[in-house]
Amino acid sequence: MKIELWSDFACPFCYIGKKRFEQALEAFPHKDQVEVVLKAYQLNPNARKVMTASPAETFAKGHRMSVDQAKQRFEMFKTQAQTVGLTYNYDIIKMTNSFDAHRLAKWSNQFGKEYELTGRLMKAYFTDGINIANMDALVKIAKEVGLDEKEAKNVLKSDKYADQVHNEINEGRQIGVQGVPFFVLNRKYGVSGAQPVEYFTQVLEKLWEEEKPKFETIDGADKGAACTDETCEI
Protein backbone atom coordinates (compact mmCIF):
# COMPACT_ATOMS: atom_id res chain seq x y z
CA MET A 1 0.00 0.00 0.00
CA LYS A 2 1.41 3.34 -1.03
CA ILE A 3 0.19 6.67 0.28
CA GLU A 4 1.60 9.90 -1.11
CA LEU A 5 1.03 13.05 0.92
CA TRP A 6 1.31 16.52 -0.57
CA SER A 7 1.73 19.15 2.14
CA ASP A 8 3.34 22.45 3.07
CA PHE A 9 5.05 23.25 6.36
CA ALA A 10 3.16 26.55 6.44
CA CYS A 11 -0.27 24.92 6.12
CA PRO A 12 -2.19 24.69 9.43
CA PHE A 13 -4.38 21.82 8.26
CA CYS A 14 -1.39 19.87 6.94
CA TYR A 15 0.06 19.53 10.44
CA ILE A 16 -3.35 18.56 11.82
CA GLY A 17 -4.04 16.14 8.95
CA LYS A 18 -0.62 14.53 9.35
CA LYS A 19 -1.30 13.93 13.05
CA ARG A 20 -4.73 12.45 12.40
CA PHE A 21 -3.37 10.18 9.70
CA GLU A 22 -0.56 9.06 12.02
CA GLN A 23 -3.08 8.16 14.71
CA ALA A 24 -5.06 6.04 12.26
CA LEU A 25 -1.91 4.40 10.89
CA GLU A 26 -0.55 3.60 14.35
CA ALA A 27 -3.69 1.59 15.15
CA PHE A 28 -3.78 -0.12 11.74
CA PRO A 29 -2.85 -3.83 12.06
CA HIS A 30 -0.96 -3.84 8.76
CA LYS A 31 0.89 -0.55 9.20
CA ASP A 32 4.23 -2.21 8.38
CA GLN A 33 2.97 -2.76 4.85
CA VAL A 34 2.07 0.89 4.28
CA GLU A 35 4.60 3.06 2.45
CA VAL A 36 4.19 6.79 3.07
CA VAL A 37 5.83 9.13 0.56
CA LEU A 38 5.98 12.85 1.32
CA LYS A 39 5.57 15.36 -1.50
CA ALA A 40 6.34 19.07 -1.48
CA TYR A 41 3.75 21.79 -2.04
CA GLN A 42 3.76 25.56 -1.54
CA LEU A 43 0.61 27.47 -0.71
CA ASN A 44 2.36 30.80 -1.08
CA PRO A 45 5.49 30.54 -3.25
CA ASN A 46 5.78 34.34 -3.21
CA ALA A 47 6.01 34.60 0.58
CA ARG A 48 8.96 36.63 1.85
CA LYS A 49 11.86 35.16 3.79
CA VAL A 50 11.34 37.74 6.53
CA MET A 51 7.89 38.74 7.77
CA THR A 52 7.54 42.54 7.89
CA ALA A 53 4.07 42.89 9.45
CA SER A 54 2.22 41.20 12.31
CA PRO A 55 0.93 37.64 11.80
CA ALA A 56 -2.68 38.81 11.57
CA GLU A 57 -1.81 41.60 9.13
CA THR A 58 0.27 39.24 6.99
CA PHE A 59 -2.47 36.60 6.89
CA ALA A 60 -5.19 39.17 6.23
CA LYS A 61 -3.31 40.63 3.28
CA GLY A 62 -2.54 37.24 1.78
CA HIS A 63 -6.14 36.03 2.09
CA ARG A 64 -7.91 39.28 1.30
CA MET A 65 -9.70 39.64 4.60
CA SER A 66 -9.72 42.01 7.55
CA VAL A 67 -7.31 41.70 10.46
CA ASP A 68 -10.22 40.79 12.74
CA GLN A 69 -11.25 38.03 10.35
CA ALA A 70 -7.67 36.77 10.33
CA LYS A 71 -7.62 36.63 14.12
CA GLN A 72 -10.89 34.68 14.09
CA ARG A 73 -9.35 32.25 11.62
CA PHE A 74 -6.35 31.85 13.91
CA GLU A 75 -8.64 30.88 16.78
CA MET A 76 -10.30 28.26 14.60
CA PHE A 77 -6.91 26.82 13.60
CA LYS A 78 -5.82 26.72 17.25
CA THR A 79 -8.99 24.90 18.31
CA GLN A 80 -8.61 22.32 15.55
CA ALA A 81 -4.96 21.77 16.46
CA GLN A 82 -5.84 21.14 20.08
CA THR A 83 -8.02 18.18 19.06
CA VAL A 84 -4.85 16.27 18.15
CA GLY A 85 -2.64 17.62 20.92
CA LEU A 86 -0.94 20.38 18.93
CA THR A 87 -0.30 23.93 20.08
CA TYR A 88 -0.45 26.75 17.54
CA ASN A 89 1.12 30.02 18.69
CA TYR A 90 -0.10 32.61 16.23
CA ASP A 91 1.19 35.49 18.33
CA ILE A 92 4.80 34.52 17.51
CA ILE A 93 4.40 32.70 14.18
CA LYS A 94 6.73 33.70 11.33
CA MET A 95 4.79 33.46 8.07
CA THR A 96 7.71 33.10 5.70
CA ASN A 97 8.69 31.18 2.57
CA SER A 98 8.87 27.39 2.88
CA PHE A 99 10.86 26.58 -0.28
CA ASP A 100 14.28 26.10 1.33
CA ALA A 101 12.71 24.00 4.07
CA HIS A 102 11.28 21.75 1.36
CA ARG A 103 14.72 21.47 -0.26
CA LEU A 104 16.20 20.49 3.09
CA ALA A 105 13.50 17.86 3.58
CA LYS A 106 14.20 16.33 0.17
CA TRP A 107 17.91 16.15 0.99
CA SER A 108 17.13 14.45 4.31
CA ASN A 109 15.20 11.67 2.59
CA GLN A 110 18.42 9.87 1.61
CA PHE A 111 19.14 9.45 5.32
CA GLY A 112 15.63 8.22 6.16
CA LYS A 113 14.90 11.47 8.03
CA GLU A 114 12.32 13.22 5.85
CA TYR A 115 9.29 12.19 7.86
CA GLU A 116 10.87 13.14 11.16
CA LEU A 117 12.22 16.42 9.79
CA THR A 118 8.82 17.30 8.34
CA GLY A 119 7.19 16.98 11.74
CA ARG A 120 9.94 19.06 13.34
CA LEU A 121 9.62 21.80 10.71
CA MET A 122 5.87 21.99 11.23
CA LYS A 123 6.37 22.30 14.98
CA ALA A 124 9.01 24.95 14.41
CA TYR A 125 6.61 26.96 12.28
CA PHE A 126 3.36 26.67 14.22
CA THR A 127 4.49 26.13 17.81
CA ASP A 128 7.98 27.53 18.26
CA GLY A 129 7.68 30.68 16.15
CA ILE A 130 10.84 29.87 14.18
CA ASN A 131 11.51 31.40 10.78
CA ILE A 132 11.89 28.31 8.61
CA ALA A 133 13.23 30.46 5.77
CA ASN A 134 16.29 31.31 7.85
CA MET A 135 19.33 29.20 7.00
CA ASP A 136 20.79 29.09 10.50
CA ALA A 137 17.43 28.05 11.95
CA LEU A 138 17.08 25.29 9.36
CA VAL A 139 20.59 24.00 10.05
CA LYS A 140 19.83 23.88 13.77
CA ILE A 141 16.61 21.95 13.13
CA ALA A 142 18.48 19.52 10.87
CA LYS A 143 20.97 18.88 13.68
CA GLU A 144 18.12 18.22 16.11
CA VAL A 145 16.96 15.25 14.04
CA GLY A 146 20.47 13.85 13.67
CA LEU A 147 21.56 15.35 10.35
CA ASP A 148 25.01 16.79 9.66
CA GLU A 149 25.11 20.57 10.14
CA LYS A 150 27.81 21.23 7.57
CA GLU A 151 26.09 19.19 4.87
CA ALA A 152 22.76 20.84 5.63
CA LYS A 153 24.30 24.29 5.30
CA ASN A 154 25.98 23.36 2.01
CA VAL A 155 22.64 22.21 0.61
CA LEU A 156 20.92 25.42 1.70
CA LYS A 157 23.68 27.60 0.24
CA SER A 158 23.20 25.91 -3.14
CA ASP A 159 20.16 25.33 -5.30
CA LYS A 160 20.25 21.57 -4.74
CA TYR A 161 16.90 19.78 -4.68
CA ALA A 162 15.15 22.85 -6.08
CA ASP A 163 14.19 20.94 -9.22
CA GLN A 164 12.79 18.07 -7.17
CA VAL A 165 10.64 20.44 -5.13
CA HIS A 166 9.33 22.13 -8.27
CA ASN A 167 8.69 18.76 -9.91
CA GLU A 168 6.70 17.47 -6.94
CA ILE A 169 4.60 20.64 -6.83
CA ASN A 170 3.91 20.36 -10.57
CA GLU A 171 3.18 16.65 -10.26
CA GLY A 172 0.58 17.44 -7.63
CA ARG A 173 -1.09 20.01 -9.82
CA GLN A 174 -1.15 17.59 -12.75
CA ILE A 175 -3.05 14.99 -10.74
CA GLY A 176 -5.50 17.54 -9.42
CA VAL A 177 -4.03 18.80 -6.14
CA GLN A 178 -5.51 22.25 -5.56
CA GLY A 179 -5.17 22.39 -1.81
CA VAL A 180 -3.29 20.57 0.93
CA PRO A 181 -3.06 18.25 2.71
CA PHE A 182 -3.82 15.92 -0.16
CA PHE A 183 -3.44 12.15 0.14
CA VAL A 184 -3.09 9.95 -2.97
CA LEU A 185 -3.82 6.31 -2.24
CA ASN A 186 -2.24 3.69 -4.49
CA ARG A 187 -2.57 6.22 -7.33
CA LYS A 188 -6.25 5.27 -7.36
CA TYR A 189 -7.98 7.47 -4.77
CA GLY A 190 -7.51 11.02 -3.61
CA VAL A 191 -8.37 12.38 -0.17
CA SER A 192 -8.33 16.12 0.41
CA GLY A 193 -8.09 17.85 3.76
CA ALA A 194 -7.45 17.00 7.40
CA GLN A 195 -10.06 14.28 7.65
CA PRO A 196 -11.07 12.72 11.00
CA VAL A 197 -9.05 9.78 12.33
CA GLU A 198 -12.05 7.50 11.77
CA TYR A 199 -12.12 8.37 8.10
CA PHE A 200 -8.43 7.61 7.64
CA THR A 201 -9.01 4.30 9.43
CA GLN A 202 -11.75 3.41 6.93
CA VAL A 203 -9.50 4.40 4.04
CA LEU A 204 -6.67 2.15 5.25
CA GLU A 205 -9.06 -0.75 5.74
CA LYS A 206 -10.54 -0.28 2.26
CA LEU A 207 -7.11 -0.24 0.64
CA TRP A 208 -6.09 -3.35 2.54
CA GLU A 209 -9.21 -5.23 1.49
CA GLU A 210 -8.56 -4.31 -2.14
CA GLU A 211 -4.97 -5.49 -1.98
CA LYS A 212 -5.65 -8.86 -0.37
CA PRO A 213 -5.51 -11.70 -2.94
CA LYS A 214 -8.95 -13.14 -3.63
CA PHE A 215 -9.61 -16.62 -5.03
CA GLU A 216 -12.75 -18.07 -6.54
CA THR A 217 -13.60 -21.78 -6.51
CA ILE A 218 -14.35 -23.33 -9.89
CA ASP A 219 -17.76 -24.99 -9.92
CA GLY A 220 -17.77 -28.76 -9.49
CA ALA A 221 -15.05 -29.10 -6.86
CA ASP A 222 -15.80 -31.03 -3.68
CA LYS A 223 -14.10 -30.58 -0.34
CA GLY A 224 -11.23 -32.85 -1.44
CA ALA A 225 -8.34 -34.24 0.55
CA ALA A 226 -6.37 -31.58 2.34
CA CYS A 227 -4.18 -30.89 5.34
CA THR A 228 -4.65 -28.15 7.88
CA ASP A 229 -2.33 -27.09 10.69
CA GLU A 230 -4.02 -29.71 12.90
CA THR A 231 -4.61 -32.76 10.76
CA CYS A 232 -4.97 -34.33 7.31
CA GLU A 233 -8.35 -35.64 6.20
CA ILE A 234 -10.15 -37.07 3.18
Side-chain angles (χ1 to χ4, degrees):
M1 294 166 56
K2 183 176 181 178
I3 297 178
E4 297 162 281
L5 169 57
W6 271 264
S7 66
D8 189 6
F9 309 118
C11 163
F13 285 119
C14 288
Y15 198 8
I16 295 167
K18 179 176 176 290
K19 281 292 183 180
R20 290 177 178 171
F21 172 74
E22 287 171 349
Q23 289 178 9
L25 183 61
E26 182 60 31
F28 185 56
H30 313 288
K31 62 183 178 182
D32 293 341
Q33 298 185 50
V34 178
E35 177 188 8
V36 180
V37 179
L38 298 178
K39 300 281 190 174
Y41 196 87
Q42 274 198 294
L43 288 173
N44 185 9
N46 298 316
R48 297 181 178 185
K49 288 196 172 186
V50 177
M51 192 175 70
T52 57
S54 71
E57 290 169 336
T58 302
F59 190 89
K61 182 178 180 180
H63 293 80
R64 298 179 181 179
M65 61 177 62
S66 70
V67 171
D68 284 341
Q69 288 174 321
K71 290 179 178 179
Q72 291 172 10
R73 193 68 62 86
F74 289 170
E75 289 302 315
M76 182 268 289
F77 293 152
K78 288 164 64 176
T79 299
Q80 288 291 315
Q82 289 169 0
T83 66
V84 287
L86 299 176
T87 300
Y88 282 8
N89 292 317
Y90 274 97
D91 54 332
I92 61 172
I93 196 170
K94 305 293 188 297
M95 294 181 180
T96 53
N97 199 290
S98 62
F99 189 78
D100 284 340
H102 280 297
R103 290 198 300 116
L104 189 70
K106 295 306 151 189
W107 164 72
S108 73
N109 183 60
Q110 64 186 299
F111 307 106
K113 292 287 187 176
E114 185 175 8
Y115 202 90
E116 182 181 359
L117 181 62
T118 292
R120 181 64 189 94
L121 286 166
M122 287 177 167
K123 181 178 182 294
Y125 187 93
F126 286 104
T127 304
D128 302 332
I130 293 173
N131 180 357
I132 64 168
N134 179 275
M135 184 174 66
D136 290 338
L138 287 173
V139 169
K140 183 178 180 181
I141 291 170
K143 181 182 178 182
E144 288 177 7
V145 299
L147 293 165
D148 184 84
E149 292 177 271
K150 185 177 179 179
E151 287 188 45
K153 182 171 285 190
N154 288 337
V155 168
L156 292 168
K157 284 182 175 179
S158 71
D159 62 353
K160 291 180 179 178
Y161 301 94
D163 286 345
Q164 183 176 349
V165 173
H166 284 305
N167 290 340
E168 290 184 5
I169 292 171
N170 291 331
E171 180 188 13
R173 289 171 179 161
Q174 289 170 5
I175 65 173
V177 178
Q178 296 180 334
V180 286
F182 194 89
F183 300 79
V184 175
L185 321 169
N186 281 347
R187 285 288 165 140
K188 185 176 181 181
Y189 304 107
V191 174
S192 179
Q195 299 295 332
V197 174
E198 295 77 14
Y199 181 84
F200 284 125
T201 298
Q202 293 174 8
V203 164
L204 290 168
E205 291 172 349
K206 177 178 175 61
L207 286 180
W208 177 253
E209 285 300 317
E210 289 184 353
E211 289 216 333
K212 285 197 311 185
K214 296 179 176 61
F215 302 100
E216 295 183 8
T217 301
I218 299 175
D219 292 342
D222 57 22
K223 185 176 180 180
C227 295
T228 67
D229 292 339
E230 303 296 331
T231 185
C232 294
E233 296 181 349
I234 296 178

